[in-house]
Amino acid sequence: MLEMSTTYLNRLSEQIVLISSLLGGFSIAIVANLMVSEINTRLHRNILLISTLAAAMFLMSIFAMTNLLLITTEGYPLEVSSEQLKLSRVTGSIFFFLGIIGILTVLALSGWTKSKRLGRVTTIICIVTLVMVLVMTSA
């Protein structure tokens, strides 16, 4: 397997921290809106739960990638092993993708709150989006 340079890992972690922060904030905004909502259906509770999980996943990704960002910054005072780099990168990436899956699930479920037809459309859109995200990140 090709070894990634610390410069590349540093830039990658910067981008994932930024994206996770934005998407985590979006997930938290959904949670806040649902918490004050008077609607208490099973679907709304599921959206609230999944949105909370997505926000938590993005937060965990932020901290793992911030760790990676710090240890790959020039002038870091401690010695860094390749295992430490790998752990932060893999952990941050897994939580990032779980957060994306969570927020796409919330978006897919949101259509079902209005109608079956809209629910099908939002679900199809989110499935296509997930496939495209996976294709674009594997390249």
Side-chain angles (χ1 to χ4, degrees), residues 32-110:
N33 281 320
L34 289 174
M35 292 295 279
V36 298
S37 173
E38 297 295 323
I39 302 170
N40 193 21
T41 65
R42 181 176 169 217
L43 183 58
H44 281 84
R45 287 190 303 270
N46 285 336
I47 292 172
L48 174 66
L49 174 65
I50 295 168
S51 188
T52 302
L53 286 170
M57 294 297 150
F58 285 127
L59 284 171
M60 288 184 268
S61 175
I62 289 168
F63 286 106
M65 288 301 183
T66 298
N67 181 48
L68 184 61
L69 179 64
L70 291 173
I71 63 178
T72 57
T73 299
E74 190 176 323
Y76 184 72
L78 304 175
E79 191 172 323
V80 179
S81 68
S82 62
E83 289 301 314
Q84 192 177 3
L85 290 173
K86 186 176 180 180
L87 178 65
S88 292
R89 181 176 53 91
V90 169
T91 303
S93 297
I94 289 171
F95 286 133
F96 179 68
F97 283 111
L98 288 174
I100 288 173
I101 290 168
I103 202 155
L104 286 174
T105 303
V106 168
L107 293 175
L109 290 175
S110 66

Side-chain angles (χ1 to χ4, degrees), residues 126-138:
C126 288
I127 289 170
V128 169
T129 303
L130 179 61
V131 168
M132 290 307 297
V133 166
L134 293 174
V135 167
M136 290 298 121
T137 56
S138 66

